[in-house]
């Protein structure tokens, strides 16, 4: 992975994603997983991305960064809420800049765009997770004064353990729309 730097930003248009961006966003998700040596398989399909972003019950939003008329990166995010602060926040699920544009300042520009969205919406936080193996990203975020959270652990139920726990309340085996047996 190319070194992430705080270089002057390229001339980019950062705009809300549209349904016509679904295929490129999905491609970027796959490229991101590969670039980060993600320890799992990308099972999300383009139609999953479309549902998440554009269905009547959409759960996320995305922005696409365009340089010289071509998609060069994206960010996918969704709302959160802090009961302690009594305020909403934004969780950044993915931030990706294509290899050709890494080190150009585009990642910082996308993140600054999201920070502005958060402030405009009255959010108290912009949060994200980073794979421990993504050392370049961790250094980049540290230069922005993002802090890591020593006070929390991230836990997950998925696949069979999720279904088992849900079944214990429902009293019967559940048949979800789509279950990923592999951890993601």
């Amino acid at each position: 992975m190319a070194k992430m730097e705080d270089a002057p930003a390229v001339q980019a248009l950062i705009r809300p994603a549209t349904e016509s961006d679904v295929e490129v966003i999905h491609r970027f998700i796959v490229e991101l997983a590969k670039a980060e040596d993600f320890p799992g398989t990308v099972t999300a399909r383009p139609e999953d991305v479309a549902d998440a972003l554009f269905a009547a019950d959409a759960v996320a939003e995305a922005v696409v960064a365009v340089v010289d008329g071509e998609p060069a990166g994206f960010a996918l995010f969704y709302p959160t809420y802090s009961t302690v602060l009594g305020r909403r926040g934004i969780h950044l699920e993915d931030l990706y800049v294509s290899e050709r544009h890494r080190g150009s300042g585009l990642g910082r520009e996308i993140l600054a765009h999201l920070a502005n969205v958060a402030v405009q919406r009255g959010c108290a936080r912009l949060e994200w997770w980073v794979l421990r193996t993504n050392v370049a990203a961790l250094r980049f975020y540290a230069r922005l004064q993002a802090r890591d959270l020593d006070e929390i652990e991230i836990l997950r139920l998925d696949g069979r353990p999720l279904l088992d726990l849900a079944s214990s309340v429902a009293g019967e085996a559940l048949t979800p729309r789509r279950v990923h047996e592999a951890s993601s």
Side-chain angles (χ1 to χ4, degrees), residues 34-45:
K34 183 178 178 184
E36 288 185 330
D37 293 325
F38 181 73
T41 303
V42 175
T43 58
R45 305 166 301 189

Side-chain angles (χ1 to χ4, degrees), residues 1 29-38 96-97 102 134:
M1 177 183 252
I29 290 168
V30 172
E31 289 175 13
L32 173 62
K34 183 178 178 184
E36 288 185 330
D37 293 325
F38 181 73
Y96 177 74
V97 173
R102 290 183 199 145
N134 194 342

Side-chain angles (χ1 to χ4, degrees), residues 21-36:
D21 295 314
V22 166
E23 292 291 333
V24 74
I25 290 171
H26 182 263
R27 178 173 50 88
F28 282 162
I29 290 168
V30 172
E31 289 175 13
L32 173 62
K34 183 178 178 184
E36 288 185 330

